[in-house]
Structures are given as structure tokens and as C-alpha cells.
Amino acid sequence: MTWETIMTHKEHMATAVKLAKYALDKGETPVACIFVDKITNQIVAYGMNDTNNSLNGIAHAEFMAIEQIKLRFSNDHKGFAEFCSNCIVYVTVEPCIMCASALKQLRIHKIYYGCGNDRFGGNGTVLSINNNMSTLGYDGSIFQQKSIPGLYRREAIMLLRYFYVKENKRSPNPRAKLDRNLDTKNFPNINWSQYMDRKLFGQEFGLNNLRNYDSMTDLEDYKSIDWDLIDSHYDSIVRDIKKEIKQFKQKENKKLKI
Amino acid sequence: MVKKIHNPLKIDYKNCIIEDKLLQVKNFENNDIPDLIPVWTLQINPRDSKKIIELIRSLQDKDPISLQHLKRIQKTKDNKFLCVVIFSKEYMEDKDQVITLLQKNDIKYNSISDNVLVPRFAPMIKELVHQWGKKYWPLTWNGNPNDQILNDYVINMDSIKNMLQKIANLSEREYTNGNKFPIVTAFVDPINNNVKIVTTDKRSCKDGFALDHSIMLAIKKVSTLQKMFKENKDPINMTSYLCLNYDVYTTHEPCSMCAMALVHSRVKRCIFIKPMSMTGALRSDSGDGYSLHDTKVLNSKYEVFQWLGDEYANIPELDPNVCC
């Protein structure tokens, strides 16, 4: 993989992280994603966790983005399916088992995520839905889906830590977590082999980084935290993303006319 | 809690079947590896044991973790002292708090520790009692703990049959009307049994899409209704936290997406009729054998039953590759 494409992935994940911070500032769980068209490299949909606001336990970021794509295609099943299979998903936290299953059934092209999801992760941490045999594509097809962790991993973890010092007032048994200290220094190792084999790691991050694979450490690029990225406020992020999506749609419409 | 012999339901404890019709669906893997939890233990002089036993008796109902399967007291290796499990660390985490409690009850002890790990539940088979007891802490055998679980299920056969008949009939009707995915689900609110949400799979409908599985649609519908009730401040009594303790009835064994959505939604029970050998995520021999409702690492658990009777043969067969 070229340096340029590595930078593109980094940029897209940074957008997802900003969106997650925006969600946190609004009182939601700081998990967010963007869907990018793999051909034009443009954002086509975005999503933030909406479980608290919607009273819906399954309103995860990925589903909010899928809803947006669905609206564009209303009755066009074939168009929708093809569109999804050309999407790359950038999500700050590993998709849970449910979302991983949804992304697999939609035959999403590829997934990049920040940190693992220790409790519910469906792309390697708890289960590997992306590589299993029982979750098939919407068309009944069996396939393997690449899902790559590690981009802005520490930033994604920090956002979750910011959130967990607050408590969930809606839960029937809210647990006060205010007395917990915010840990900004210690981060667990990442056991890359749980998520991908050495070969795929080399393809994704370059052979010169394989030592990170073996030592279970973060990539050099992500070893020190970009505090600016997670401590800034992004009041206009949604507007900016919507603008980009609009541009993409306009281009697509032009193409159709030609 | 009724005693086994007083239970009006016919239960086949060996095969885990209730009233010849409801098969308890469980994850049978890893049953020989215990779930370990930390407990507080004291080393005491044998003559001081009386007060401690009194304390244990007075607290055991308050402990969130039942330790009935443990022998509370064992001798130390040199036979001079006793080692006693007082309660779980989940009941009281802070050491100072534990010490204060012991002082208040005038308990004398040589040392206190939270280093001991004990099995969370008794093993399923008697042979393991000795093995675990040697390795972790001495245990008692009160029979297969699953017998008690089976015995404690609250089952109303008439209302279950009634709901299954409803979804089976609707499934047949959907199929006749051209739905290629005649999968039907009903959600029943535990507080207000009149709130019954019935959904059909919409992925082959004109305005439906690939992920419009009946369970996903039902969960969405519950949250929409809750939001409406909340905004209109309607006095109707409805569970207001996700689908907490809902009963779910569905024609086909759910896929990994839907089975996990039920975990997130905190339902109490799911009863399905047709197993999906390729794509199902509940039976331990379906698909990849996930048994998502009964997995230790996931924080929620729900009861799952498969209907074994042939009463609902009118439900159409599906392509085994379909995720339900």
C-alpha cells in the first residue's frame, strides 16, 4: 500500500474521530463512522451512535449511516446493493456483533476501525463475523471481509474513557463512575494476530512495520496521542460532511445524465 | 420458586424439554471450565467460628452472587485454623468497609484476603465437583444446577401456543401473498400484555431493504412507540427501557445480527419454531455455533426455546442460506 493511500485512510479516520467527539459533546456514546465510496474516495454517508436519544438499543452509528444510503435508493434494491459493495467503512470502535453482521450481509467492501470493542466486538475481539461461515451476504454468498484495526486507536479509547466517567442515567441500575480517575497514560497492547494475519498486516501497513505486529504495539504514526484532535469541538462537522455528500451526489447525477 | 415435584409443568430434565414441546436451547460448550469470581476469606481460630457463621447467615440473601454451592469452611493445611468464605467481592469491594463490618460484629480473625477465586456456579456434572473443589474451593453437590433453571422458568403454554399460532398463520399468508422471506416475529411487553408488536420481513418488499429482518423491524417499532408515548405523555403503561424483559416469538431461528440485537435490547426470552442450520446464531449446532444468548463474554443473557411440536407445519421452508 502506498504512502498516499495510508494518508487517505488516516484522514478519513480523523473525520470519524471528530464526529465521535461531536457525539460525545452532545451526550451520546462517542462512536461514529463514515462510509466512503472506494472509487471516488468521497464520503457518502455518516453515522453517530443514537441509542440514548432514540430509546433504541440498536441505533448504532453504522445503522444510522446505512439508513442514509437506504433513503437515496428507496425502491432500487439492486442499486443499493451495488453501492454498498463499493463502500469502505471507517468507524472509531470495532463494530459490535450485530453491526459486523449487518456490514457483512450488505457485502461492504472493507472496514477500518480505531480500537477494539472488548465486550461486543464482531470483527475479531469477541467473534470474527467478517470471516465466519454463518453470516452470509444478502444474496446468500459466502465471503471473507477485510477489517483492519489500529487507526487512531488511542484517540478512540480516550473518547470512550471520557464518556465512561459519566453515568448512564437511563439504565435501570445506573452505576456511579464519577470516582474513577481518567487514565490518559496506559493503553492495552493490541494483539494484531486476533484481527489479521501477518501477510495482510504487511500489505496494509508496510513490511517495515511488521515489528509492531510481532510486539503487539501501535503503529509509529499512532503512538503519541493527537490531543488536539480529541479535545477540540467540531460544531460544524456535520454540516461539512453533509456538504461533501451533496457534492458526491451531484457528481453521480451528472454521470447518470451523460 | 416451586419445588420440582410441585411443578405443574411436565419437565424432561435429561433432555431439557418442557411439556414435550419446548426445547431449552443452551450453549453446551465450555461447561467444564468454571467462571471464577473473587471472594473475601478469613483465616480464623476454630473456637471463633460461631459468630462468623451467624454473620454469613445474616448476609447470604443480600449477596448478589449465590454461594450456596460452596462449602463455606475448610481447614488450613496445618490443620490448626479454619479458612472461611464470608461473601463475594461483588457484594463489598472495599477492604476498609469489610474490616469495619467485621469489627462491628465483633469478629476475631488472623488474616483477611481477597485472593481466593471460586466457581461462580456449581458444575453441571457431579464428577467435576471433586475436581473443581480440589483446584479452587470445596463444593457441595445439589444436583445439576440446570434442573433448577428448568424448574424456575415461568411458562404459560396457552399463551405461547396462541402467539406461535398467530405468527405461523401470518407467515403462511405472507408466503401466499408473494413474500419470498415469510419470516414473522412478535414482541410482547411484559408489563402490558396488550402491547403486541408483530412484524414481517420486508427485504423483498418494494420499500424494504436487505436488513429489514422481522426482529430488527420489531425493535425499531418498539422504540418508535415508546417515543410517541413519551412525547404525548400518554398514560398507557409500557416498558420504557429498550425491550427490557420482552417475550419474543419468531418463526425462524435468528441470524447473528438479529440474535445480537436481542442482546442489546435486553429481551427476556426468545422462542423460535424453525431452526436455521446454516445461518442460525442460537442453537449450538447451528451455523458457527455461537449461541449468542448464552455467551459468557456478552453481558446480557436471554432464555431461548425451540418449539418441537409439529403444530405449525404451515410455516414455509426457507432456503438454508437465508439470514433470518
Side-chain angles (χ1 to χ4, degrees):
Chain A
M1 184 167 288
T2 63
W3 187 78
E4 283 85 1
T5 47
I6 289 176
M7 286 316 285
T8 314
H9 294 319
K10 187 172 181 179
E11 226 168 84
H12 284 317
M13 189 60 88
T15 307
V17 171
K18 287 175 190 171
L19 205 53
K21 176 60 183 1
Y22 176 82
L24 178 71
D25 289 341
K26 294 254 170 212
E28 271 292 348
T29 318
V31 181
C33 67
I34 56 169
F35 283 41
V36 171
D37 175 53
K38 77 168 187 202
I39 299 159
T40 61
N41 203 18
Q42 271 185 304
I43 302 178
V44 295
Y46 71 95
M48 286 172 276
N49 192 302
D50 193 43
T51 50
N52 294 344
N53 169 53
S54 67
L55 310 179
N56 180 348
I58 62 172
H60 290 184
E62 295 90 330
F63 272 87
M64 306 317 282
I66 293 165
E67 284 295 321
Q68 288 175 9
I69 300 175
K70 194 178 115 188
L71 282 178
R72 291 182 51 179
F73 287 92
S74 56
N75 295 340
D76 178 8
H77 289 224
K78 222 179 137 199
F80 173 79
E82 200 183 303
F83 190 85
C84 287
S85 65
N86 281 324
C87 278
I88 299 179
V89 172
Y90 296 86
V91 55
T92 56
V93 180
E94 177 186 359
C96 77
I97 291 164
M98 172 185 74
C99 291
S101 179
L103 298 178
K104 180 119 184 259
Q105 292 186 42
L106 292 179
R107 295 189 57 98
I108 292 290
H109 177 66
K110 201 171 180 182
I111 300 152
Y112 286 92
Y113 60 92
C115 64
N117 181 340
D118 290 340
R119 273 172 66 196
F120 301 127
N123 279 351
T125 303
V126 179
L127 297 175
S128 298
I129 299 284
N130 52 318
N131 291 324
N132 75 5
M133 296 293 287
S134 62
T135 308
L136 310 179
Y138 63 89
D139 53 357
S141 55
I142 297 177
F143 73 114
Q144 309 252 306
Q145 190 181 41
K146 284 177 189 159
S147 185
I148 317 288
L151 312 185
Y152 286 115
R153 186 177 78 106
R154 295 183 175 206
E155 287 78 358
I157 292 175
M158 274 319 301
L159 287 178
L160 291 177
R161 286 183 184 168
Y162 285 162
F163 180 74
Y164 285 123
V165 281
K166 300 175 186 174
E167 64 179 299
N168 182 4
K169 290 195 186 79
R170 282 205 176 79
S171 167
N173 312 303
R175 277 188 280 180
K177 291 171 176 169
L178 292 164
D179 51 338
R180 287 205 185 155
N181 292 330
L182 187 65
D183 184 356
T184 59
K185 297 234 157 52
N186 304 303
F187 292 89
N189 279 349
I190 173 165
N191 183 3
W192 296 99
S193 65
Q194 210 174 332
Y195 306 101
M196 58 216 283
D197 58 24
R198 230 166 162 266
K199 195 176 150 210
L200 179 58
F201 184 94
Q203 282 168 8
E204 284 294 326
F205 299 122
L207 298 174
N208 53 331
N209 285 317
L210 276 172
R211 62 200 142 90
N212 294 121
Y213 185 90
D214 299 329
S215 61
M216 301 199 284
T217 50
D218 277 305
L219 298 158
E220 299 309 317
D221 230 14
Y222 298 103
K223 264 188 180 147
S224 57
I225 294 182
D226 184 347
W227 289 105
D228 265 357
L229 182 66
I230 51 172
D231 285 339
S232 303
H233 299 284
Y234 301 101
D235 296 330
S236 66
I237 182 84
V238 169
R239 208 173 53 224
D240 296 345
I241 291 175
K242 276 186 178 160
K243 220 159 106 192
E244 199 178 325
I245 296 173
K246 207 173 157 192
Q247 279 171 5
F248 174 80
K249 280 186 197 162
Q250 282 166 348
K251 270 193 214 158
E252 286 288 290
N253 289 341
K254 261 188 208 160
K255 255 197 260 167
L256 287 178
K257 272 173 200 155
I258 294 162
Chain B
M1 231 191 272
V2 285
K3 282 202 167 148
K4 266 185 182 179
I5 45 162
H6 298 310
N7 197 327
L9 292 169
K10 179 184 168 196
I11 302 177
D12 173 351
Y13 290 98
K14 191 161 168 264
N15 297 305
C16 306
I17 297 169
I18 298 171
E19 292 281 309
D20 298 324
K21 300 289 184 190
L22 284 174
L23 172 71
Q24 178 198 36
V25 176
K26 280 186 63 71
N27 187 355
F28 285 106
E29 280 168 56
N30 295 331
N31 271 344
D32 48 350
I33 302 164
D35 225 359
L36 295 175
I37 51 142
V39 290
W40 290 103
T41 57
L42 298 178
Q43 197 202 73
I44 58 162
N45 234 312
R47 60 166 187 272
D48 296 324
S49 59
K50 201 181 154 211
K51 270 199 171 145
I52 290 183
I53 291 167
E54 277 169 18
L55 180 72
I56 290 172
R57 284 222 176 99
S58 70
L59 292 178
Q60 65 183 9
D61 288 340
K62 292 177 193 153
D63 199 325
I65 295 175
S66 165
L67 299 175
Q68 304 253 15
H69 56 291
L70 298 184
K71 286 182 179 161
R72 292 297 187 119
I73 302 176
Q74 67 170 321
K75 281 181 186 160
T76 54
K77 276 184 193 129
D78 56 13
N79 258 331
K80 279 187 190 153
F81 301 104
L82 299 176
C83 200
V84 191
V85 174
I86 46 176
F87 40 70
S88 72
K89 228 184 147 181
E90 192 166 315
Y91 175 63
M92 205 175 274
E93 200 163 345
D94 183 51
K95 191 170 182 176
D96 293 336
Q97 215 183 334
V98 177
I99 290 172
T100 315
L101 178 83
L102 293 172
Q103 275 167 354
K104 237 195 231 160
N105 286 279
D106 197 22
I107 305 276
K108 292 189 192 79
Y109 58 93
N110 303 337
S111 64
I112 178 167
S113 157
D114 61 350
N115 283 334
V116 176
L117 294 174
V118 302
R120 169 88 168 77
F121 299 105
M124 293 283 172
I125 48 171
K126 203 175 174 183
E127 287 69 38
L128 284 173
V129 169
H130 185 64
Q131 205 182 314
W132 289 8
K134 238 178 156 177
K135 201 165 170 192
Y136 307 104
W137 188 273
L139 304 173
T140 58
W141 177 249
N142 302 317
N144 185 339
N146 193 50
D147 289 3
Q148 197 58 48
I149 294 171
L150 279 165
N151 188 52
D152 288 347
Y153 284 134
V154 179
I155 301 275
N156 180 336
M157 287 304 275
D158 288 338
S159 73
I160 289 173
K161 282 182 199 159
N162 186 12
M163 285 312 296
L164 294 180
Q165 193 66 60
K166 253 187 203 157
I167 59 170
N169 292 349
L170 184 53
S171 169
E172 188 184 13
R173 209 154 61 229
E174 283 286 311
Y175 185 70
T176 323
N177 291 340
N179 189 343
K180 278 181 268 171
F181 301 93
I183 306 150
V184 181
T185 294
F187 274 46
V188 181
D189 185 306
I191 293 178
N192 187 342
N193 278 326
N194 292 322
V195 181
K196 292 190 172 79
I197 287 129
V198 181
T199 50
T200 56
D201 192 292
K202 291 269 182 249
R203 76 188 94 166
S204 68
C205 292
K206 229 179 153 195
D207 56 348
F209 86 124
L211 301 181
D212 282 344
H213 298 192
S214 57
I215 287 177
M216 301 302 275
L217 294 175
I219 293 171
K220 244 184 242 172
K221 208 160 173 185
V222 170
S223 73
T224 314
L225 286 175
Q226 282 169 348
K227 220 166 180 185
M228 265 166 52
F229 290 141
K230 210 178 151 200
E231 274 154 20
N232 298 335
K233 304 209 165 52
D234 206 302
I236 190 159
N237 204 359
M238 194 177 168
T239 307
S240 58
Y241 183 73
L242 307 176
C243 303
L244 186 67
N245 292 332
Y246 271 63
D247 286 325
V248 175
Y249 304 86
T250 189
T251 51
H252 300 78
E253 183 181 1
C255 70
S256 49
M257 173 175 71
C258 293
M260 190 61 199
L262 294 177
V263 174
H264 286 316
S265 301
R266 312 284 182 90
V267 304
K268 175 172 161 248
R269 173 182 296 168
C270 174
I271 301 178
F272 68 87
I273 302 168
K274 295 234 170 214
M276 296 299 291
S277 61
M278 275 279 280
T279 61
L282 298 178
R283 279 183 62 101
S284 64
D285 60 355
S286 286
D288 288 282
Y290 287 148
S291 294
L292 282 180
H293 64 293
D294 191 17
T295 301
K296 278 173 193 163
V297 280
L298 305 176
N299 85 334
S300 282
K301 282 179 175 251
Y302 52 92
E303 304 166 6
V304 171
F305 299 95
Q306 179 189 336
W307 185 267
L308 295 179
D310 52 9
E311 287 85 348
Y312 312 110
N314 56 337
I315 298 173
E317 282 295 332
L318 283 183
D319 180 331
N321 288 343
V322 171
C323 287
C324 296

